[in-house]
């Protein structure tokens, strides 16, 4: 079986909520190794809540998140931290430290989690910034950079520890269509070049239809469809899903 066909993360009968309020329930889907996987659905359906549970930040009410063959929420906190360290996360705002340069932001995970020398760290910082198209920008502060540059620097930081999987929360938010497409191309390049599994929460239809190889659609607090978005559109009869996946192709943007 090819690597891309193996389950990497399995969500089983997952129910999530806050303060007794159920956000989503009885979720079941698989993220395969090598996927560009999109969690999609209408605003407020619980997409970010799901991602937070998968990366170890939001404990389920019920159900399991299986990473490889390990139950993320049944293990000790220390064991869970070890798995989480194999993930990279890029948040919507970038979440860079404003008092630190791009280079210092990218170096921080290596300083905190490895025994690498300063020379080794500097070499990796250069490599990661080069990968995202920011070679030579080590000394730039976030306040002096564009939104697109900040997102690329955040991606470089998420790649600092060579993660098995990268998680994005609305990666294109705040970007114009050209820079959004450039970021999509970069995500695809990282997926192909490094073999990194990509998991994205996004509502951007252009991204969903152009780069996603697998997905889950969340509606009515549960899973309404799984699979490649284009395949879902071809086979679904659910009106909500059809409207969501065609909203920018029928008579222009809404």
């Amino acid at each position: 079986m090819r690597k891309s066909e193996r389950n990497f993360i399995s969500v089983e009968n997952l129910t999530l909520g806050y303060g007794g309020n159920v956000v989503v329930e009885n979720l079941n889907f698989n993220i395969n190794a090598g996927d560009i996987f999109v969690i999609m659905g209408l605003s407020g359906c619980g997409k970010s809540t799901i991602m937070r549970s998968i990366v170890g930040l939001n404990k389920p009410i019920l159900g399991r998140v299986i990473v490889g063959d390990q139950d993320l929420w049944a293990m000790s906190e220390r064991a869970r931290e070890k798995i989480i360290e194999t993930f990279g996360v890029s948040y919507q705002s970038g979440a860079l430290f404003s008092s630190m340069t791009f280079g210092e932001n990218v170096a921080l995970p290596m300083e905190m989690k490895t025994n690498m020398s300063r020379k080794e760290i500097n070499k990796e910082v250069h490599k990661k910034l080069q990968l995202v198209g920011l070679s030579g920008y080590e000394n730039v502060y976030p306040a002096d950079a564009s939104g697109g540059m900040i997102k690329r620097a955040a991606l470089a930081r998420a790649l600092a520890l060579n993660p098995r999987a990268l998680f994005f929360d609305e990666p294109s938010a705040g970007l114009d269509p050209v820079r959004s497409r450039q970021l999509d191309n970069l995500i695809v390049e990282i997926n192909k070049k490094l073999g990194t599994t990509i998991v994205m929460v996004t509502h951007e239809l252009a991204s969903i239809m152009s780069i996603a190889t697998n997905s889950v659609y969340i509606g009515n607090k549960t899973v309404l469809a799984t699979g490649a978005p284009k395949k879902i559109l071809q086979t679904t009869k659910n009106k909500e899903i059809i409207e969501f996946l065609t909203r920018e192709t029928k008579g222009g943007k809404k």
Side-chain angles (χ1 to χ4, degrees), residues 187-199:
I187 289 170
V188 171
E189 180 183 356
I190 289 169
N191 173 255
K192 289 182 177 180
K193 183 179 292 187
L194 304 180
T196 309
T197 302
I198 308 292
V199 182

Side-chain angles (χ1 to χ4, degrees), residues 8-9 31-39 51 88 155 159 163-168 171 184 186-192 194-201 211-214:
F8 173 37
I9 298 173
I31 300 171
N32 302 317
D35 272 347
I36 298 179
F37 188 96
V38 171
I39 303 172
M51 191 179 81
L155 175 53
L159 288 166
R164 291 189 294 167
L166 274 174
F167 293 81
F168 294 89
D184 284 347
L186 179 57
I187 289 170
V188 171
E189 180 183 356
I190 289 169
N191 173 255
K192 289 182 177 180
L194 304 180
T196 309
T197 302
I198 308 292
V199 182
M200 300 167 53
V201 167
I211 71 172
T213 62
N214 198 3

Side-chain angles (χ1 to χ4, degrees), residues 58 82 97 99 101-102 116 165 219 246 253:
N58 184 32
K82 284 291 186 183
F97 290 100
S99 61
T101 65
F102 282 175
M116 296 168 64
T246 60
K253 294 185 178 182

Side-chain angles (χ1 to χ4, degrees), residues 9-163:
I9 298 173
S10 295
V11 171
E12 299 179 354
N13 304 314
L14 195 67
T15 295
L16 302 168
Y18 303 98
N21 179 43
V22 172
V23 176
V24 290
E25 57 189 344
N26 196 34
L27 304 182
N28 290 276
F29 60 87
N30 296 317
I31 300 171
N32 302 317
D35 272 347
I36 298 179
F37 188 96
V38 171
I39 303 172
M40 57 184 180
L42 300 177
S43 296
C45 71
K47 300 185 293 293
S48 294
T49 300
I50 295 167
M51 191 179 81
R52 286 176 58 83
S53 183
I54 294 173
V55 300
L57 297 176
N58 184 32
K59 186 175 182 179
I61 297 173
L62 294 170
R64 306 195 300 169
V65 175
I66 308 296
V67 180
D69 59 356
Q70 301 179 79
D71 186 343
L72 188 66
W73 289 102
M75 61 182 62
S76 68
E77 183 176 350
R78 180 58 187 149
R80 185 163 56 252
E81 288 176 355
K82 284 291 186 183
I83 290 181
I84 294 169
E85 287 175 4
T86 69
F87 295 160
V89 183
S90 183
Y91 297 98
Q92 181 174 333
S93 65
L96 297 178
F97 290 100
S98 60
S99 61
M100 301 170 69
T101 65
F102 282 175
E104 290 168 340
N105 269 281
V106 177
L108 187 60
M110 291 178 269
E111 293 169 348
M112 295 179 64
K113 299 295 184 179
T114 76
N115 295 317
M116 296 168 64
S117 68
R118 173 50 55 187
K119 183 177 180 180
E120 290 171 327
I121 291 174
N122 289 342
K123 184 177 179 179
E124 281 300 307
V125 167
H126 175 75
K127 186 186 299 184
K128 295 304 189 293
L129 287 174
Q130 185 176 47
L131 180 63
V132 301
L134 289 176
S135 180
Y137 288 84
E138 284 87 347
N139 295 320
V140 171
Y141 285 90
D144 299 321
S146 68
M149 290 173 66
I150 289 172
K151 286 182 180 292
R152 285 172 176 265
L155 175 53
R157 186 179 62 182
L159 288 166
L161 299 179
N162 301 312

